[in-house]
Amino acid sequence: MEHHHHPQPQTQQQQVHDHTNPPMGHAGHDHHAMMIDDFRKRFFVVLILTIPVMLLSEMIQHWLNIHISFPGSDYVLFSLSSIVFFYGGWPFLKGWGNEMKARNPGMMTLVGFAITVAYVYSVVTVFGLNGMDFFWELATLILIMLLGHWIEMKSIAGASKELELLVRLMPDDAHLVHGHHVMDVKTETLKENDVILVKPGEKIAADGVIVDGQSYLNESLLTGESKPVEKSKGDKVIAGSINGNGAIKISVLHGAKDSYLSQVIKLVQDAQQSRSRTQLLADTAARWLTLIAIAAGIATFLAWYLSGKDLAFAIERMVTVIVICCPHALGLAVPLVVAKSTALSAKNGLLIKNRTAFENSRKITTLVFDKTGTLTYGKFEVTKIVALQEGVSENELLRLAAALEQNSEHPIATGIIQKVKDLSLQVPAAQNFNAITGKGVEATVEGKQVKVVSPGFLKENNISLPGNFRPDAAETTVFVIVDSTPAGYISLADKIRPESADAIRTLHTIGIKSILLTGDNKQVAESVSKQLGIDKYYAEVLPHQKLEKIKEIQGKGEFVAMTGDGVNDAPALAQADIGIAVGSGSDIAAETAAIVLVNSNPRDIANLVMFGKSTYKKMVQNLAWATGYNVIALPLAAGVLYGSGILLSPATGAVLMSVSTVVVAINASLLKVKQ
């Protein structure tokens, strides 16, 4: 799976239109706003000039049955039209030049070419050629093209607004604690280990750890999690979350540009710019359409001219065909949906790193879940402690187990340590620590050889299980062996998340099979599967076998998405057609995954698949609309129905083109994440 972190080669739409690139950060945003203003200004100037141009045109006078003529009126018309052409048409002429330089004819080439032909022909009629000038058509054409661009850029700005909102989550100022006094500083000047004060209701300015105070934090904009989360001393906080009712002091973990929020913004920008297969398809289509437009324009001109129509009529048909054929809607069909969907996802706690993978999420047939931390809370709690040896108390068992587990990150270890903390027991030190792969750990504690191992280890070493030991399907048990005799066992269980069953049900309704892939024993896997209605489970799978299992499922022709939260899932995530990393913000570096779910909520996975489907649907709708429109409008512009009295003027062509672009923009903005 490749990642789009390197700059992409620029394609047609990007080079030509600064505005199809969603605005980036504040600088990009300002540039974008300036362009919108520029088009607006040009539009109004051209609008004012178009009125006298139309009143001075013979054709319009003929229709309105009025007659305005004075010595030199032709030259006045010519002068006004020249201003319209050079001032109003400038963005298009400039764009045409850029496209030619890049040897990449597109949208601007078509418009530039069309208005130039109309202008040059009309000028020639003023200075002697017999024929009717096109000035009013030229003016209305430029007017409508400017209007279309202006509206379209506004809607693109809308699609990127969500990204702007993310940027704005970062407060500008922070209260830096300096000895006994507090001073306000700019957020970007914060560095590691600074201590900042966050008052109730304020936004947190930097990722950090609470050193003083406690409060409830609203992280919903970052994680999509609506319930405020209780945080107290020692807890991590994310920049951009909103502080609740308590004042807290935070020790800053890193500068602003490394914060979780900045990484999210960067990911969103990368994803908005990375081009998926659908986008490349649309780009290719737009390029072809440009060539077709020019060819069709010339063919139309020749057909009418050679069939005996006058030059003016033939040129007008050519201009209309070229304008109507502008692949503008096509060029925007996908980028607008991309900009909208990426930013929306980020707000809902779905971070898309690889666009193609996200668009492919509609093809998923099987979702493979890693149980721990995804379908369950991933927090093991001690459910029972059984001592098997005389003179060894339950607390003693816990102490010895904790001695071995105190440096481990394993969920079972965390569960045991938590229990020891709850009972406030002293944990002894361990020497000669050694891990028994996949089976447990051993060490010397207070002069005794202690092992904490799985039941499988006992079987392999022919140590008989105690008579009163009844394995419980939903529990995981570890045995504590002291000097090679079992001293007792500790059972732990992992609670299932309440949203899991709901998520699996949703997936079933959209025809996606679920598979549980876990390192846990068969009984646990079976009981979890039964409870949740999962189709199939594979238990006791070691990390390196996860990858093999994914291959095996793919071998049956399934399109597999895998969710996982641990380092051990990385190879499998990379092997899956779509890797979805689940887990808290700090694990944003789940590098192998194409999509990161900020929350570990399995509902999000179902939402992701549905959102992938609706995003793809929007793209297809847009592409179908943009193509279908051209298929119908082109022949009309060429004058196929001229005999029946239907003929499109260049201005009508421009209106249709602009409308089709705006339809595409509005359709993209209707995209929503279903919760």
Side-chain angles (χ1 to χ4, degrees), residues 539-592:
E540 294 169 23
V541 183
L542 290 171
H544 62 275
Q545 296 169 328
K546 285 190 174 177
L547 175 92
E548 298 306 316
K549 278 280 178 257
I550 299 273
K551 276 192 180 153
E552 190 182 307
I553 301 167
Q554 285 170 325
K556 296 177 186 155
E558 300 285 342
F559 195 88
V560 180
M562 156 96 187
T563 68
D565 63 344
V567 178
N568 61 348
D569 299 320
L573 286 174
Q575 173 62 37
D577 296 293
I578 298 174
I580 303 171
V582 180
S584 60
S586 60
D587 262 347
I588 197 167
E591 270 305 324
T592 40

Short mmCIF file of all heavy atoms in Angstrom, two decimals, residues 539-592:
data_model
loop_
_atom_site.label_atom_id
_atom_site.label_comp_id
_atom_site.label_asym_id
_atom_site.label_seq_id
_atom_site.Cartn_x
_atom_site.Cartn_y
_atom_site.Cartn_z
N ALA A 539 -9.19 -18.35 16.47
CA ALA A 539 -8.64 -18.04 17.79
C ALA A 539 -7.18 -18.47 17.88
O ALA A 539 -6.68 -19.19 17.01
CB ALA A 539 -9.46 -18.73 18.85
N GLU A 540 -6.53 -18.04 18.94
CA GLU A 540 -5.13 -18.41 19.23
C GLU A 540 -4.21 -18.17 18.03
O GLU A 540 -3.35 -19.00 17.73
CB GLU A 540 -5.07 -19.87 19.72
CG GLU A 540 -5.77 -20.02 21.06
CD GLU A 540 -5.98 -21.46 21.50
OE1 GLU A 540 -5.24 -22.33 21.01
OE2 GLU A 540 -6.89 -21.70 22.30
N VAL A 541 -4.43 -17.07 17.35
CA VAL A 541 -3.62 -16.74 16.18
C VAL A 541 -2.45 -15.87 16.66
O VAL A 541 -2.66 -14.82 17.24
CB VAL A 541 -4.44 -15.94 15.14
CG1 VAL A 541 -3.62 -15.67 13.91
CG2 VAL A 541 -5.70 -16.71 14.77
N LEU A 542 -1.25 -16.32 16.41
CA LEU A 542 -0.08 -15.52 16.82
C LEU A 542 0.10 -14.37 15.82
O LEU A 542 -0.32 -14.46 14.67
CB LEU A 542 1.17 -16.39 16.87
CG LEU A 542 1.16 -17.41 18.01
CD1 LEU A 542 2.31 -18.39 17.89
CD2 LEU A 542 1.19 -16.72 19.37
N PRO A 543 0.77 -13.28 16.27
CA PRO A 543 0.89 -12.08 15.41
C PRO A 543 1.29 -12.39 13.97
O PRO A 543 0.67 -11.91 13.03
CB PRO A 543 1.94 -11.25 16.13
CG PRO A 543 1.78 -11.62 17.56
CD PRO A 543 1.35 -13.06 17.60
N HIS A 544 2.33 -13.22 13.79
CA HIS A 544 2.79 -13.42 12.41
C HIS A 544 1.81 -14.27 11.60
O HIS A 544 1.86 -14.30 10.39
CB HIS A 544 4.19 -14.06 12.38
CG HIS A 544 4.21 -15.44 13.01
ND1 HIS A 544 4.36 -15.61 14.37
CD2 HIS A 544 4.07 -16.67 12.48
CE1 HIS A 544 4.33 -16.91 14.65
NE2 HIS A 544 4.16 -17.57 13.53
N GLN A 545 0.90 -14.97 12.30
CA GLN A 545 -0.08 -15.77 11.55
C GLN A 545 -1.26 -14.92 11.09
O GLN A 545 -2.00 -15.33 10.21
CB GLN A 545 -0.60 -16.91 12.43
CG GLN A 545 0.48 -17.90 12.82
CD GLN A 545 -0.01 -18.87 13.89
OE1 GLN A 545 -0.84 -18.50 14.74
NE2 GLN A 545 0.48 -20.08 13.84
N LYS A 546 -1.41 -13.74 11.69
CA LYS A 546 -2.55 -12.89 11.31
C LYS A 546 -2.47 -12.58 9.82
O LYS A 546 -3.46 -12.61 9.10
CB LYS A 546 -2.57 -11.60 12.13
CG LYS A 546 -3.05 -11.80 13.54
CD LYS A 546 -3.27 -10.48 14.25
CE LYS A 546 -3.89 -10.72 15.62
NZ LYS A 546 -4.08 -9.53 16.40
N LEU A 547 -1.26 -12.26 9.39
CA LEU A 547 -1.03 -11.93 7.99
C LEU A 547 -1.45 -13.10 7.10
O LEU A 547 -2.14 -12.93 6.08
CB LEU A 547 0.46 -11.63 7.81
CG LEU A 547 0.89 -11.37 6.38
CD1 LEU A 547 0.82 -9.88 6.11
CD2 LEU A 547 2.30 -11.84 6.13
N GLU A 548 -1.05 -14.32 7.50
CA GLU A 548 -1.38 -15.52 6.71
C GLU A 548 -2.89 -15.69 6.61
O GLU A 548 -3.43 -15.99 5.56
CB GLU A 548 -0.78 -16.78 7.36
CG GLU A 548 0.74 -16.78 7.44
CD GLU A 548 1.38 -16.54 6.07
OE1 GLU A 548 0.91 -17.15 5.08
OE2 GLU A 548 2.33 -15.72 5.98
N LYS A 549 -3.57 -15.47 7.73
CA LYS A 549 -5.04 -15.63 7.76
C LYS A 549 -5.69 -14.65 6.78
O LYS A 549 -6.63 -14.99 6.06
CB LYS A 549 -5.58 -15.39 9.16
CG LYS A 549 -5.45 -16.59 10.07
CD LYS A 549 -6.56 -17.59 9.78
CE LYS A 549 -6.45 -18.84 10.62
NZ LYS A 549 -5.93 -20.01 9.91
N ILE A 550 -5.19 -13.40 6.79
CA ILE A 550 -5.76 -12.39 5.88
C ILE A 550 -5.57 -12.86 4.44
O ILE A 550 -6.48 -12.80 3.61
CB ILE A 550 -5.08 -11.02 6.09
CG1 ILE A 550 -5.29 -10.53 7.53
CG2 ILE A 550 -5.58 -10.00 5.08
CD1 ILE A 550 -6.55 -9.76 7.79
N LYS A 551 -4.37 -13.36 4.13
CA LYS A 551 -4.09 -13.85 2.77
C LYS A 551 -5.07 -14.96 2.40
O LYS A 551 -5.60 -15.01 1.29
CB LYS A 551 -2.66 -14.40 2.68
CG LYS A 551 -1.62 -13.35 2.44
CD LYS A 551 -0.30 -14.01 2.09
CE LYS A 551 0.79 -12.98 1.83
NZ LYS A 551 2.13 -13.49 2.10
N GLU A 552 -5.28 -15.84 3.37
CA GLU A 552 -6.15 -17.00 3.15
C GLU A 552 -7.58 -16.52 2.80
O GLU A 552 -8.20 -17.01 1.87
CB GLU A 552 -6.16 -17.81 4.44
CG GLU A 552 -6.81 -19.16 4.38
CD GLU A 552 -6.75 -19.80 5.78
OE1 GLU A 552 -5.65 -19.88 6.38
OE2 GLU A 552 -7.82 -20.17 6.28
N ILE A 553 -8.06 -15.52 3.57
CA ILE A 553 -9.42 -15.02 3.32
C ILE A 553 -9.46 -14.34 1.94
O ILE A 553 -10.41 -14.49 1.18
CB ILE A 553 -9.85 -14.03 4.43
CG1 ILE A 553 -9.80 -14.73 5.79
CG2 ILE A 553 -11.24 -13.49 4.18
CD1 ILE A 553 -9.89 -13.79 6.99
N GLN A 554 -8.39 -13.59 1.61
CA GLN A 554 -8.35 -12.93 0.29
C GLN A 554 -8.32 -13.96 -0.81
O GLN A 554 -8.89 -13.76 -1.89
CB GLN A 554 -7.09 -12.04 0.19
CG GLN A 554 -7.22 -10.76 0.99
CD GLN A 554 -5.91 -9.99 1.09
OE1 GLN A 554 -4.84 -10.59 1.16
NE2 GLN A 554 -6.00 -8.68 1.13
N GLY A 555 -7.68 -15.09 -0.53
CA GLY A 555 -7.58 -16.17 -1.52
C GLY A 555 -8.95 -16.69 -1.93
O GLY A 555 -9.14 -17.25 -3.00
N LYS A 556 -9.93 -16.51 -1.03
CA LYS A 556 -11.29 -16.97 -1.36
C LYS A 556 -12.05 -15.91 -2.14
O LYS A 556 -13.27 -15.96 -2.26
CB LYS A 556 -12.05 -17.31 -0.07
CG LYS A 556 -11.43 -18.46 0.69
CD LYS A 556 -12.16 -18.71 2.01
CE LYS A 556 -11.43 -19.77 2.82
NZ LYS A 556 -11.70 -19.63 4.25
N GLY A 557 -11.32 -14.89 -2.59
CA GLY A 557 -11.96 -13.86 -3.41
C GLY A 557 -12.67 -12.79 -2.61
O GLY A 557 -13.48 -12.05 -3.15
N GLU A 558 -12.36 -12.69 -1.33
CA GLU A 558 -13.00 -11.66 -0.51
C GLU A 558 -12.19 -10.36 -0.59
O GLU A 558 -10.96 -10.40 -0.71
CB GLU A 558 -13.09 -12.10 0.96
CG GLU A 558 -13.88 -13.37 1.19
CD GLU A 558 -15.39 -13.16 1.09
OE1 GLU A 558 -15.83 -12.01 1.17
OE2 GLU A 558 -16.11 -14.17 0.90
N PHE A 559 -12.87 -9.24 -0.50
CA PHE A 559 -12.20 -7.93 -0.40
C PHE A 559 -12.17 -7.60 1.09
O PHE A 559 -13.21 -7.35 1.70
CB PHE A 559 -12.98 -6.88 -1.19
CG PHE A 559 -12.19 -5.62 -1.45
CD1 PHE A 559 -11.39 -5.51 -2.57
CD2 PHE A 559 -12.24 -4.55 -0.55
CE1 PHE A 559 -10.65 -4.35 -2.81
CE2 PHE A 559 -11.50 -3.40 -0.78
CZ PHE A 559 -10.69 -3.30 -1.92
N VAL A 560 -10.96 -7.65 1.65
CA VAL A 560 -10.85 -7.66 3.11
C VAL A 560 -10.41 -6.33 3.70
O VAL A 560 -9.42 -5.74 3.28
CB VAL A 560 -9.81 -8.73 3.54
CG1 VAL A 560 -9.68 -8.77 5.06
CG2 VAL A 560 -10.22 -10.10 3.00
N ALA A 561 -11.18 -5.88 4.69
CA ALA A 561 -10.71 -4.75 5.51
C ALA A 561 -10.35 -5.34 6.86
O ALA A 561 -11.03 -6.23 7.36
CB ALA A 561 -11.81 -3.72 5.67
N MET A 562 -9.27 -4.84 7.45
CA MET A 562 -8.84 -5.35 8.75
C MET A 562 -8.79 -4.19 9.73
O MET A 562 -8.31 -3.11 9.38
CB MET A 562 -7.46 -5.98 8.58
CG MET A 562 -6.63 -6.05 9.84
SD MET A 562 -6.77 -7.66 10.61
CE MET A 562 -5.88 -7.37 12.14
N THR A 563 -9.30 -4.40 10.92
CA THR A 563 -9.13 -3.36 11.93
C THR A 563 -8.22 -3.90 13.02
O THR A 563 -8.33 -5.05 13.39
CB THR A 563 -10.47 -3.00 12.61
OG1 THR A 563 -10.87 -4.13 13.40
CG2 THR A 563 -11.52 -2.70 11.61
N GLY A 564 -7.33 -3.06 13.48
CA GLY A 564 -6.43 -3.51 14.53
C GLY A 564 -5.92 -2.31 15.29
O GLY A 564 -6.00 -1.18 14.81
N ASP A 565 -5.41 -2.57 16.48
CA ASP A 565 -4.98 -1.41 17.26
C ASP A 565 -3.55 -1.55 17.74
O ASP A 565 -3.00 -0.61 18.29
CB ASP A 565 -5.89 -1.24 18.48
CG ASP A 565 -5.80 -2.43 19.41
OD1 ASP A 565 -5.28 -3.49 18.97
OD2 ASP A 565 -6.23 -2.33 20.56
N GLY A 566 -2.94 -2.69 17.53
CA GLY A 566 -1.62 -2.86 18.17
C GLY A 566 -0.52 -2.94 17.15
O GLY A 566 -0.75 -3.07 15.96
N VAL A 567 0.70 -2.89 17.65
CA VAL A 567 1.87 -3.03 16.78
C VAL A 567 1.83 -4.39 16.11
O VAL A 567 2.18 -4.56 14.94
CB VAL A 567 3.16 -2.93 17.64
CG1 VAL A 567 4.38 -3.13 16.78
CG2 VAL A 567 3.20 -1.60 18.36
N ASN A 568 1.31 -5.39 16.87
CA ASN A 568 1.29 -6.75 16.32
C ASN A 568 0.35 -6.87 15.12
O ASN A 568 0.40 -7.83 14.38
CB ASN A 568 0.89 -7.75 17.40
CG ASN A 568 -0.51 -7.47 17.94
OD1 ASN A 568 -1.08 -6.41 17.67
ND2 ASN A 568 -1.06 -8.40 18.69
N ASP A 569 -0.54 -5.89 14.93
CA ASP A 569 -1.46 -5.99 13.79
C ASP A 569 -0.88 -5.37 12.52
O ASP A 569 -1.47 -5.50 11.45
CB ASP A 569 -2.78 -5.28 14.10
CG ASP A 569 -3.48 -5.91 15.30
OD1 ASP A 569 -3.45 -7.14 15.39
OD2 ASP A 569 -4.02 -5.15 16.12
N ALA A 570 0.24 -4.66 12.66
CA ALA A 570 0.76 -3.90 11.52
C ALA A 570 0.90 -4.73 10.24
O ALA A 570 0.42 -4.32 9.19
CB ALA A 570 2.05 -3.21 11.88
N PRO A 571 1.56 -5.92 10.28
CA PRO A 571 1.72 -6.66 9.02
C PRO A 571 0.37 -7.04 8.40
O PRO A 571 0.19 -6.94 7.19
CB PRO A 571 2.47 -7.93 9.45
CG PRO A 571 3.04 -7.64 10.79
CD PRO A 571 2.18 -6.59 11.43
N ALA A 572 -0.58 -7.42 9.25
CA ALA A 572 -1.89 -7.81 8.74
C ALA A 572 -2.62 -6.60 8.16
O ALA A 572 -3.28 -6.70 7.13
CB ALA A 572 -2.71 -8.45 9.85
N LEU A 573 -2.46 -5.45 8.80
CA LEU A 573 -3.12 -4.23 8.29
C LEU A 573 -2.58 -3.91 6.90
O LEU A 573 -3.29 -3.45 6.03
CB LEU A 573 -2.86 -3.04 9.23
CG LEU A 573 -3.62 -3.03 10.55
CD1 LEU A 573 -3.14 -1.87 11.41
CD2 LEU A 573 -5.11 -2.90 10.32
N ALA A 574 -1.28 -4.12 6.73
CA ALA A 574 -0.66 -3.81 5.44
C ALA A 574 -1.11 -4.81 4.38
O ALA A 574 -1.29 -4.45 3.22
CB ALA A 574 0.86 -3.83 5.57
N GLN A 575 -1.32 -6.06 4.78
CA GLN A 575 -1.72 -7.09 3.84
C GLN A 575 -3.18 -6.93 3.40
O GLN A 575 -3.53 -7.18 2.26
CB GLN A 575 -1.52 -8.48 4.47
CG GLN A 575 -2.05 -9.65 3.66
CD GLN A 575 -1.38 -9.79 2.30
OE1 GLN A 575 -0.18 -9.56 2.17
NE2 GLN A 575 -2.12 -10.14 1.28
N ALA A 576 -4.03 -6.49 4.32
CA ALA A 576 -5.45 -6.35 4.01
C ALA A 576 -5.65 -5.38 2.85
O ALA A 576 -4.80 -4.52 2.61
CB ALA A 576 -6.21 -5.86 5.24
N ASP A 577 -6.76 -5.51 2.13
CA ASP A 577 -7.04 -4.57 1.05
C ASP A 577 -7.18 -3.16 1.61
O ASP A 577 -6.77 -2.19 1.01
CB ASP A 577 -8.32 -4.97 0.32
CG ASP A 577 -8.16 -6.33 -0.36
OD1 ASP A 577 -7.36 -6.39 -1.32
OD2 ASP A 577 -8.78 -7.30 0.08
N ILE A 578 -7.78 -3.08 2.80
CA ILE A 578 -7.88 -1.79 3.49
C ILE A 578 -7.53 -2.00 4.94
O ILE A 578 -8.15 -2.82 5.61
CB ILE A 578 -9.32 -1.23 3.37
CG1 ILE A 578 -9.65 -0.98 1.89
CG2 ILE A 578 -9.47 0.05 4.17
CD1 ILE A 578 -11.07 -0.58 1.66
N GLY A 579 -6.54 -1.28 5.41
CA GLY A 579 -6.15 -1.40 6.82
C GLY A 579 -6.76 -0.25 7.59
O GLY A 579 -6.61 0.91 7.21
N ILE A 580 -7.47 -0.57 8.66
CA ILE A 580 -8.07 0.48 9.47
C ILE A 580 -7.46 0.41 10.86
O ILE A 580 -7.64 -0.57 11.57
CB ILE A 580 -9.61 0.29 9.57
CG1 ILE A 580 -10.22 0.25 8.16
CG2 ILE A 580 -10.24 1.36 10.42
CD1 ILE A 580 -11.67 -0.16 8.12
N ALA A 581 -6.70 1.43 11.22
CA ALA A 581 -6.09 1.41 12.55
C ALA A 581 -7.06 2.02 13.53
O ALA A 581 -7.64 3.07 13.28
CB ALA A 581 -4.79 2.20 12.55
N VAL A 582 -7.23 1.33 14.63
CA VAL A 582 -8.18 1.80 15.62
C VAL A 582 -7.38 2.22 16.83
O VAL A 582 -6.45 1.54 17.23
CB VAL A 582 -9.11 0.65 16.03
CG1 VAL A 582 -10.11 1.12 17.06
CG2 VAL A 582 -9.82 0.12 14.81
N GLY A 583 -7.73 3.36 17.40
CA GLY A 583 -7.02 3.68 18.63
C GLY A 583 -6.86 5.15 18.81
O GLY A 583 -7.16 5.94 17.95
N SER A 584 -6.37 5.47 19.98
CA SER A 584 -6.34 6.87 20.41
C SER A 584 -5.41 7.69 19.54
O SER A 584 -4.59 7.15 18.80
CB SER A 584 -5.83 6.93 21.83
OG SER A 584 -4.53 6.38 21.82
N GLY A 585 -5.53 9.00 19.69
CA GLY A 585 -4.78 9.94 18.86
C GLY A 585 -3.30 9.72 18.82
O GLY A 585 -2.65 9.94 17.81
N SER A 586 -2.73 9.25 19.93
CA SER A 586 -1.27 9.12 19.94
C SER A 586 -0.81 8.09 18.92
O SER A 586 0.29 8.12 18.43
CB SER A 586 -0.80 8.69 21.33
OG SER A 586 -1.40 7.44 21.62
N ASP A 587 -1.71 7.14 18.62
CA ASP A 587 -1.31 6.10 17.68
C ASP A 587 -1.56 6.48 16.25
O ASP A 587 -1.67 5.63 15.39
CB ASP A 587 -2.03 4.80 17.99
CG ASP A 587 -1.14 3.89 18.81
OD1 ASP A 587 0.07 4.18 18.90
OD2 ASP A 587 -1.63 2.91 19.35
N ILE A 588 -1.64 7.78 16.02
CA ILE A 588 -1.90 8.24 14.67
C ILE A 588 -0.83 7.70 13.74
O ILE A 588 -1.01 7.58 12.55
CB ILE A 588 -1.91 9.77 14.62
CG1 ILE A 588 -2.58 10.25 13.36
CG2 ILE A 588 -0.54 10.35 14.76
CD1 ILE A 588 -2.89 11.70 13.41
N ALA A 589 0.30 7.34 14.32
CA ALA A 589 1.40 6.80 13.52
C ALA A 589 1.19 5.35 13.17
O ALA A 589 2.15 4.66 12.88
CB ALA A 589 2.70 6.97 14.28
N ALA A 590 -0.04 4.86 13.19
CA ALA A 590 -0.29 3.50 12.72
C ALA A 590 -0.02 3.54 11.24
O ALA A 590 -0.91 3.55 10.41
CB ALA A 590 -1.74 3.14 12.99
N GLU A 591 1.29 3.61 10.92
CA GLU A 591 1.72 3.93 9.55
C GLU A 591 1.17 3.01 8.49
O GLU A 591 0.96 3.40 7.37
CB GLU A 591 3.27 3.89 9.48
CG GLU A 591 3.93 5.21 9.77
CD GLU A 591 3.43 6.34 8.88
OE1 GLU A 591 3.15 6.11 7.69
OE2 GLU A 591 3.30 7.46 9.38
N THR A 592 0.96 1.74 8.86
CA THR A 592 0.60 0.79 7.81
C THR A 592 -0.86 0.90 7.41
O THR A 592 -1.28 0.30 6.44
CB THR A 592 0.85 -0.64 8.28
OG1 THR A 592 0.44 -0.71 9.65
CG2 THR A 592 2.30 -1.00 8.18
#
